[in-house]
Structure formats: structure tokens, C-alpha cells
Amino acid sequence: MSDIQVVLAHADARAEQTVTTGTKAWELFKDSPDVIAARVVGASVADGALKDLAYELVDGDVIEPVTIESTDGRDILRHSTAHVMAQAVQELFPEAKLGIGPPIQDGFYYDFDVETPFVPEDLVRIETKMRKIIKENQRFERRPISDADAINELQDEPYKIELIGLKGGGHAGDGDAEQEIAEGASVEVGAGELTIYDNINRKGEVAWKDLCRGPHLPTTKRIPAFKLMRSAAAYWRGDEKNKQLQRIYGTAWETKEALDEHLHRIEEAERRDHRKLGRDLDLFSFPDEIGSGLPVFHPKGGVIKRAMEDYVRERHIAEGFDYVGTPHIAKEGLFHTSGHLPYYGEGMYPALDVDGMDYRLKAMNCPMHNLIYRSRQRSYRELPLRLFEFGHVYRHEKSGVIHGLTRVRGFAQDDSHSYVTPEQAPAEVEHLLNFMISLLRDFGIDDFYLELSTRDASKDKFIGSDEDWAAATKVLEDVAVATGLELVPDPGGAAYYGPKISVQARDAIGRTWQMGTVQYDFNQPSADRFNLEYVAADGTRQQPVMIHSAKFGSIERFMGVLVEHYAGAFPPWLAPVQVQGIPIAERHNDYLLELAQKMKAQGLRVEVDLSDDRMQKKIRNAQLQKVPFMVIAGDNDVEAGAVSFRYRDGRQDNGVPLDEAIARVAAAVESREQV
RNA sequence: GCCGCCUUAGCUCAGUCGGUAGAGCGAAUCACUCGUAAUGAUUAGGUCAUCGGUUCGAUUCCGAUAGGCGGCUCCA
């Protein structure tokens, strides 16, 4: 037995230590109960690799404790909890085959192939079984294994064997094996050597085992708090051609309190849900009689929608766009020319037979705009030519994806198409992207990132040559990178006609939605499609590039995200009712009605509560409606020629002279500030 | 589209082990005229989503359809 040198890194401090060979990581941390794993940043292993606490130190290791409440620590906790869940499931349902079980944002899941899908009562039983396993304090024990031995040992787990095969890249012609593995599967097999984790019970027997890269908690008892959330089906390896497995979602936290806080955050988020607020605030609804995914806007929602549209229209015109208008349906041939029917056909509503001719509802506005472009000969002097409208499109979305305003079947795009020379394209992309981002900021949306959707060469849903795609992608990527915003790649996510940059915004519960897009299209203008041309300076006919861009993406979706962003408490310029007049007694009604008239004359949206409720109740109602300004008038105010302000946060400002009250509201609306 | 769950008054939800239903909020009416988040009383609201089956009888059990919710796949 000899000595080895390791460095114990802790926060900023680094301490060199001499230990004997065979020393385990946990022995360095035995005084820190929160430590559940080790991060090794030494020369001998990959940078930042996470190890079990039972990891045997080697000479030169730089080792750092990983605590349970850190990001890595929580992932390890959740991954281990997923294992416990899988063990419980297999004990209760011995025929269940294991899929994958990775940690995810705020929790984990595990997929199982079972005959009958899980029902809520099953989750209760599984939870109970999990508590029992946790109590038993089973030890997670790592065991390296060769591919051949693993395949032999896991004969009863076909999905695990499939993963081992993928890892080995054994499928000729499958392309990059790593890419083929579904998201999350790397947690099971990773790269390099395979390992199995055995769960050892008190008697020293293997109670359960799973193919897994780890690391894991030392024992099951180190799981402080968990909860199973829901079950759902999920396609094996994320491909709808594969079998559906039954997925159980759960969450796990370092303390009971952290779990409770998490559950509380979910409840809070549900209160912001635009579907609920849309009903509570009387903004919009989805009448069954109209059809799934087809919203109607009530007067108050209509105000918000119009405020959004007015502002966006104004900004587009200021940015050099020409406002145009196009119909909702067209003869089918148009969408053959554009490529929509062959490449996007399943997203379109079936044809309407009109006098023996097939018409289609449009799913995109570009073909119509192309016809406007083509309506006469264009000169290079006209370019960039920017056509813009609120184009209503209809998409036959699969029934299971409809979701409030954020995923509908009929919606308005604030859609534009810029026709430019190839040389002008980069500057126009930049112009559009910056314009889009500035609009988002004007609406107070700041939690978003960019996504670059590209073609997937292995799929045939794309038109055009590789070279053109590469060039177009480069233009978009350069501009996107220049914004300095987070940019996430999305291979295979492009439209059939060209790559796209999109803005991804989050909703109340963290789901992301695609908002605005900028798409570079060299296909639709081509000779075999719309054959768009312009006359260049030298008199030759050239083909323009068209750049599609929807700034909000869809008015409907954007409103849904806005509602959640503000939790219904809109800034005054967007608020359906900007001012709620509250008379203290009936004799103050006329005083406030007169003020309301003056405010309305200035274009403000004001209502006076003439009900015979008590003023406390009127305040409560206005508060629940999240009206930004309440102006209250009683005897004192009438006498002073003033009103009393109350804001949404309960702040009040009494004795404000009438003219100042009007000016104050008008200024807040004008500046588009939040109050 | 796929898997699971759900659908009772305008909203949120009870309830009926098969004998046609209740509450709170909201609405209407009356009284009260009130100073910063709920005044009191009275009344009216339901073919228990729709259609079919089983049954003496279905809101309840079964099936189909529609719509919703949570995921998966897809997407603005």
C-alpha cells in the first residue's frame, strides 16, 4: 500500500492531501453530511466528471464535494429516485420492462413497457413501495461490465439491450449512434465502459439492478423527499413510429421544505395559466360549437388584441413595411406551386369543393404575398420590398396538441415577407431580428432565447440543394450569434423551404413556445415555383431571396404568453380597463361619470362601478379584475375637486386634483410602463 | 394522431352503492348609501356534454362521439 497525492477543492480553497491508495472519495468528506457525490477534475479523468462517493481516488485527482442541493447533486438525487421508482414498479408489476429514466428539470421520469397503462391509484401504490425501499437503506453499488456480459445479464430487458447496441454503433447505416439515442438515454449507457448499479439490501443481497452510468447516492435512505406527479405515454426513443411506453414523472428534493416549495411554485404557476385568467378576466373563450382550437375574443380580450395589433402595425409601417391584405382561402393549385401541399399537406384542412374546384384554407401567407410581388415587374430599386399583414391562417393541428391560446387551429400571424437581393439578405435578416426583439421588449417579454432550426439531411421533408441550405443557414446563424442572446440548435426543425431563427418564450409553468420567426427562403422564388424576378441594374433578370418573418409569431399565442407573463395584471397601455371609478356612495356617481367622460375624451378606457355594492366590494372587484388604476371619490374628494388613487398593490394616493389624475393615467399609458 | 384521466347551474365543486340533484361565488330583485379586498334578505338558474345500449327505471353501468386536462409526437 502506497501513498498518493490528491487535491481537495472546496469553494475557492484547494488543499493538497496525501492519502493511501484505496482511499474512497467519501472518506475525504465524511464530516459533511450533505455531500452525496464527488466531482473529479483531475488530470487523470475527464474534466468535471461526477463520481460516486465510493469512488476510489487515484494519484493526481483534484476532487470536489458535490452537495445534494447543487444542480449536479439534485440530478443525482433525482436519478437515484428514478431507480427506486423503477425498482418499486418492477416489484409491483414484474412484467414491466425498463426504458430510460433520466433526471429532468425539477424532477425525473422513468419509462416502462407494461401491458396496462398506469392509473392514478397505481402511483399511490408505487409511492408506498418506494418509501419501503428507501427505508430499507439499500446501497447503490457500481459494477463495471463488458458489453457482452451486460447483454447476457439483461436478457429480460430488451430496451436496455437496444441501448447497448446503439452505444456500440452496431447498426450499419444508422449514422452517428450517439445522435440516434433518444434524449436522456445517455444517462443509461453514456460513452465508454458500461456499468450496472446493484441495489444491495440489508442482508447483502442484490434486491434490484439497472444498467446505468451513474453516479448515484450512496444509499436509498439519502432520498429526503420525493413525490410521483403523473403518468403519461411516451414513444420509445421519442419516435412516434415506435411503441408507446408508460412514463411516470416524479420529483425529488433535498428537504421536505424544498419539495413543498416546489409544489407551491406549481400551484402559483397554475394561477397564472392564461386559460384560467382568460375566463376569470372575461378575455376569450373556446366555444365547443365552433370547434377545438378556435378562440373567440370577448370585448376585454378584444381590447388587448387590438392594442397589440395597432402597435405592431404602426411599428411595421415605421420600419418600412407595406400593409397588404389577402384572403383566407385559395384554389389548391397555389399550394402545389408553393410546395405546401406536398410538404405541409397534413397540416392543412381538407379541400372545400367549390363548383367542382378544390379550395384550401391557407396555412401560411407566403404564397399570397408572392402573388402580390409577381403582380407586376419589379426593379432592384424597389428592394427590399416588405409586405406585411395580419394574415389569418388555419392549420389542422393534431387534436392532442391543442392548448389554450398557445396552440390553436386558426390564428393571425403578424406576418411579413421581405423580398431582397441576395446581397441585401444578411442586412435584412439582421433588421428583422432586431425589430422582433425590440418589439418583444416593448411588450415587456424578456425571458426568451433564440433557436436556430436547420434541415435534417436524412429526412426528405426539405426542398432545395445542400449548398443553398448551408449558405442560408450561415446568414441566419451569423446574425443570431451577433445578438449575443442564447442560441440553441434545433436540427431538423426548419420549414421545408428554408432554415429559421425563432424566439422561444416560456409560459407560466416553464413550457417553451415558439414565438417570432425569421426564415430564409431561396426556394419559393425559384423558377419552378413562383418564378419571382427583379430587373437588376445591368438589365438582367434576377431571382430575389424572400425572408419570412412573423414578429409575435401568432397574435393568439403571444396574447397567451402575455397573459401569463403579467399574470393578468397588464400594464395600463394594454389593460382592457385602465381606470375603474369607484363612488363611495350613490351620490358620488355623477362626479365620477363626469371625470370618466373627460378621460374617455382622451382615449382612456374607464368604467365607473354604479352597482349598489359597498365600496369595499367595488375595490375588491376591481382588484380581482386587476385594473391598474382605481379612482375613488367620496364627499371629501368632491369637496376638494379631487379623487383618491388606489393601485393594484394596495398603494394609495389621496386628494389628487382631477386634471392631475387624468394626466397621471394618460402619462402611464403613453409611456407603456407597468404600474 | 397516440396513451391515461375528466365532463353535474355562468364559475369552482359536492352528491346519487341505478329511483331525474345540492353548496359557495356570480346573476336578478329588495333593503342598506357605506372611505381602501366580500352588507343582508329573497328569487331565478341544471334533458347531470351528446347519441346509443343494458334495465321496470340511467345523471349514475357499458359503448360510441364531441370537448377538456396531463404527457408523447408535431408546431406559430
Side-chain angles (χ1 to χ4, degrees), chain A residues 341-391:
Chain A
L341 275 172
Y343 292 94
Y344 192 79
E346 76 283 3
M348 296 182 73
Y349 274 93
L352 302 158
D353 184 309
V354 181
D355 298 336
M357 190 107 62
D358 282 338
Y359 278 72
R360 292 278 190 155
L361 281 164
K362 68 178 171 182
M364 297 188 197
N365 303 301
C366 31
M368 310 271 190
H369 288 188
N370 288 342
L371 296 179
I372 296 173
Y373 180 94
R374 212 173 63 179
S375 63
R376 63 172 170 79
Q377 197 171 60
R378 300 288 173 180
S379 154
Y380 75 98
R381 292 173 188 274
E382 288 181 80
L383 307 186
L385 178 68
R386 304 184 178 100
L387 306 180
F388 158 76
E389 72 168 315
F390 291 107

Side-chain angles (χ1 to χ4, degrees), chain A residues 42 85 238 257 300 373 456 628 672:
Chain A
M85 179 173 81
E257 291 69 44
K300 285 181 177 165
Y373 180 94
D456 179 344
R672 293 195 302 276

